[in-house]
Amino acid sequence: MDKIKHSQSASGENAIQQACAWMARLWADDATEKDHAACLAWRQTAPEHEQAWQQVSQLQQRFNQLPEPQIGSKLLRQHTQISRRQFLSLGGLGLGVGLLSAGHLGSNYLYSTDYATQTGEIQNTTLADGSRLFLNTGSRVDIDFNQHKREILLHAGEIYIETAPHPLPLTVISRQGSLVPLGTRFSVRLLEQHARLAVYEGRVQIQPAQSTETRVIESGLGANFSRNGFLADYAVNASGMAWTAHKLAVANMPLTEFIDELSRYRSGRLRASPELASLTVTGVFSLKDTDRVLAQLTDILPVKLQSYSSFWVNVLPG
C-alpha cells in the first residue's frame, strides 16, 4: 500500500495540505472542469506536489474500496513497515470518503432571520448582487442591501464569500469589527474573543470595532483580530475552505484539535482526552456523518469512545 511518510519539513507538510484541499474541492458536487484543470496544473508545478497528490489519493482510494471500516484497520495493522508515528499520522486517511458594530448590535441581534444554519448544516446561496455566500455550521447572518450600501451582518459562526463586481463596496460587519473586501474570496470565523480572517484571493481591509487602526490583508494570508485591535497574522492554506464542500481537510493535526473541529458539526458534547494530544491526523473527511468518523477512529488509532448518549461522547486513550 502506498503511504505518506511523516515529515517535519514545512514544504512537505504544506504540499500534503494542498493535496487534501484539492481532493476536497474535486469531490464537491459543484466541481468543474476548470477545477480539475487547475488541480492538474498545481500537480505539474513541482515534483513534491505530484508526490503528495499520489500519496494522499492512492491511500484514500484504497480505503474507499473497503466494504467495512474494520477491514481497513486490519490492513493498516498488517503493514509493519509503517512506523508507529507514521501510522498515527496516517490514521485520518482511512476515515474520510466519504463584525456587528455597536450601531448594529441590539438586544435582538441573535435572532437573525435572513440566513441561518443549524449544527452540522452547511448552506450556500447567491445574493442579490451576484456574490456567493457560504454559511458554515451554526452560523447566522443578515443581509442589508439597498441603493446606498451592501452590508452582511455576521452574528455567529463562519462564512465564506466570493464577491461579485458592483459599484458599491461590500462590508462584512461583526462584533469584532468590519471587513471590506477588494475583489476577493475570503472567509471569516467568529471565535469567543476574536475573529479570524482568511483571504484566498484579492485583498481585505480590516477595521477593528474599537480601534482607529486599519490593515489590508493580502491573498494567501490571514489575520486574527478583536474589537480592540490586531492579534496575529498567519499563512492561509486552501484546506481551510474545504468545509464549503462538506469536507474537513487536515494535515498532521493533533487529534485533540481534530475532535474540537469535528464537534462543531454535531449536537451535544464531544471531547478528547488531553492525553491524546501527541496523536496526529491527516486526510480528507466527510462532515456528513460524524458518527462514522468517530467509530472508525477506534479502529485506526489507539483510542476508545465513552458514550453516555449520542449527545455526550468522550474520546479516551484505548
Side-chain angles (χ1 to χ4, degrees):
M1 178 189 296
D2 291 308
K3 54 184 179 293
I4 299 176
K5 296 182 179 179
H6 177 71
S7 173
Q8 297 297 326
S9 68
S11 60
E13 180 170 325
N14 188 55
I16 293 174
Q17 281 186 323
Q18 292 175 352
C20 290
W22 277 116
M23 187 174 296
R25 178 58 193 148
L26 298 187
W27 283 356
D29 294 337
D30 60 349
T32 65
E33 289 299 324
K34 184 178 179 180
D35 293 324
H36 286 272
C39 177
L40 180 60
W42 171 81
R43 290 167 56 186
Q44 295 173 341
T45 300
E48 58 266 29
H49 291 178
E50 179 63 21
Q51 181 181 17
W53 174 263
Q54 293 298 332
Q55 289 172 334
V56 173
S57 63
Q58 290 178 16
L59 185 58
Q60 193 82 55
Q61 290 169 8
R62 181 64 180 270
F63 276 97
N64 290 354
Q65 297 169 0
L66 299 174
E68 296 294 340
Q70 292 82 358
I71 299 176
S73 65
K74 292 177 181 177
L75 283 176
L76 274 180
R77 296 187 183 107
Q78 288 172 1
H79 285 263
T80 56
Q81 293 180 347
I82 301 178
S83 70
R84 178 177 176 80
R85 180 64 179 175
Q86 292 167 341
F87 172 77
L88 298 179
S89 296
L90 285 169
L93 287 171
L95 308 183
V97 183
L99 280 146
L100 283 178
S101 65
H104 289 286
L105 273 176
S107 59
N108 294 325
Y109 85 94
L110 290 177
Y111 301 97
S112 171
T113 56
D114 285 347
Y115 297 98
T117 53
Q118 302 296 320
T119 299
E121 180 185 7
I122 296 172
Q123 182 183 128
N124 76 86
T125 187
T126 300
L127 302 179
D129 67 343
S131 297
R132 196 175 183 189
L133 172 67
F134 289 78
L135 278 74
N136 205 348
T137 174
S139 301
R140 294 188 302 274
V141 300
D142 277 320
I143 308 299
D144 189 2
F145 286 3
N146 57 43
Q147 65 269 33
H148 303 296
K149 64 181 179 180
R150 292 189 301 156
E151 291 184 349
I152 298 176
L153 313 180
L154 174 59
H155 301 305
E158 180 177 17
I159 57 175
Y160 166 82
I161 301 174
E162 296 177 356
T163 61
H166 197 278
L168 293 175
L170 176 68
T171 304
V172 177
I173 304 173
S174 80
R175 290 167 295 188
Q176 305 299 340
S178 61
L179 304 172
V180 179
L182 309 173
T184 186
R185 298 185 297 112
F186 70 101
S187 67
V188 57
R189 176 178 173 182
L190 296 187
L191 301 169
E192 289 187 10
Q193 301 297 326
H194 68 277
R196 172 171 292 177
L197 167 71
V199 182
Y200 299 100
E201 183 180 298
R203 300 180 297 160
V204 175
Q205 177 179 285
I206 304 177
Q207 172 71 69
Q210 296 182 352
S211 172
T212 58
E213 182 183 6
T214 63
R215 183 178 298 178
V216 174
I217 306 302
E218 303 288 342
S219 175
L221 299 175
N224 295 332
F225 63 98
S226 69
R227 294 175 57 82
N228 299 316
F230 297 92
L231 302 177
D233 296 344
Y234 65 96
V236 168
N237 191 281
S239 60
M241 57 177 288
W243 63 265
T244 62
H246 299 264
K247 301 291 188 297
L248 181 59
V250 300
N252 294 324
M253 176 180 283
L255 179 59
T256 49
E257 184 179 340
F258 177 80
I259 292 298
D260 285 343
E261 282 297 300
L262 194 65
S263 70
R264 298 173 61 199
Y265 300 90
R266 53 184 290 127
S267 299
R269 174 189 172 91
L270 174 62
R271 295 290 183 271
S273 168
E275 299 175 49
L276 301 176
S278 62
L279 306 186
T280 61
V281 181
T282 294
V284 182
F285 307 84
S286 173
L287 292 171
K288 295 182 179 180
D289 191 349
T290 59
D291 284 332
R292 178 174 173 81
V293 174
L294 289 174
Q296 290 183 320
L297 275 177
T298 63
D299 289 321
I300 299 194
L301 297 177
V303 300
K304 63 182 178 181
L305 302 181
Q306 180 186 62
S307 303
Y308 297 100
S309 73
S310 60
F311 298 101
W312 190 343
V313 179
N314 294 327
V315 183
L316 306 174

